[in-house]
Amino acid sequence: MEQSAQQAQQLDHLASTPTAGGGGSPFAAFGLPGLGGAAPAAPPEPRPILELEGEAYEDELDALSDWVDDCLLPVYGAEVTTAAPWCLQWQEHADVVAWLHALWLAYQQHKDPEAGLSGMLVWHRDFLTHTIAAIRSPGGPLSACMTSLDRPAHRVLPGPPPSARAEKATEAEPESSASGEHELAS
C-alpha cells in the first residue's frame, strides 16, 4: 500500500504544471517553448468541406476551384471521353467536391517538406490515381455529364433513397412528439 501511495504521489508530481523560472529554455534553439513557456498555437484542423456551411464553405470551394483549375486539370485532366467524363459544373456534384477536397488536403500535406522527398510520389500513388479513377469512371458521379468537348452537359444523378431505418425514424417523430404532448398534458 505504501508503494502505491508513493507511486501515486510521484505521478501527481510529474503531472503537475512545472514552476516558472529556471532560466531560458534548453529547446529555444529549435523554436520550442521552455518547460513553463506557452506552446505555439496549433494550426486549425482541416475539416471536410461538406461539414462547412455558408461563407466558410464558399471560401473553401473557391480555394479548391482555384487549385483544380490551375493545378490539377492542366496536368492531370486528360482528355474528356466516355471512359473519362468531366463536368464544367463539378462544384454542383457534392460527392465530387468531397473527393477533390480530400485530394487537395492530401496534396497540401504531401508537398510539405516534412513529408520528405517521396511525399509527392506517395500522393500520386495513394491519392491522385484512385481519386481520378473514382470520379471520372464511366459509371462514376460525372457519368451523366460531358463525355465530349463538343457536347458540354451537366446532370446531377439522383442518389439512393433513405434507408428503411431513416424512414421509420421520420415516421416515428410525429408520434413521439404527439405522445410527449399527451404525457405533459396528463
Side-chain angles (χ1 to χ4, degrees):
M1 288 299 273
E2 188 176 323
Q3 263 186 330
S4 292
Q6 285 176 346
Q7 287 175 344
Q9 192 176 26
Q10 194 173 21
L11 286 172
D12 287 343
H13 173 71
L14 292 173
S16 67
T17 305
T19 57
S25 166
F27 308 110
F30 301 106
L32 299 172
L35 287 177
E45 291 291 321
R47 291 179 51 201
I49 193 167
L50 297 182
E51 290 182 4
L52 302 176
E53 295 178 346
E55 192 173 325
Y57 175 83
E58 292 300 325
D59 291 346
E60 193 74 358
L61 185 60
D62 286 344
L64 173 61
S65 296
D66 290 344
W67 178 76
V68 168
D69 291 340
D70 298 340
C71 180
L72 186 69
L73 290 180
V75 177
Y76 306 104
E79 184 179 0
V80 174
T81 66
T82 54
W86 185 247
C87 185
L88 297 174
Q89 298 172 40
W90 61 266
Q91 297 94 338
E92 295 179 21
H93 298 265
D95 47 354
V96 173
V97 169
W99 273 101
L100 291 174
H101 187 255
L103 181 65
W104 181 46
L105 292 177
Y107 173 82
Q108 292 176 65
Q109 177 185 0
H110 285 83
K111 76 173 188 159
D112 188 276
E114 289 183 16
L117 296 175
S118 62
M120 289 307 296
L121 178 63
V122 171
W123 178 77
H124 281 87
R125 181 195 67 200
D126 294 349
F127 300 96
L128 175 71
T129 304
H130 180 70
T131 300
I132 295 300
I135 63 174
R136 294 195 66 189
S137 70
L142 302 179
S143 61
C145 293
M146 184 169 60
T147 57
S148 168
L149 292 175
D150 298 331
R151 293 185 315 270
H154 167 69
R155 190 172 118 215
V156 177
L157 298 172
S163 67
R165 181 178 179 173
E167 286 183 11
K168 287 180 185 177
T170 305
E171 291 171 2
E173 272 182 17
E175 293 171 13
S176 64
S177 63
S179 63
E181 289 170 350
H182 177 64
E183 291 172 11
L184 292 175
S186 301

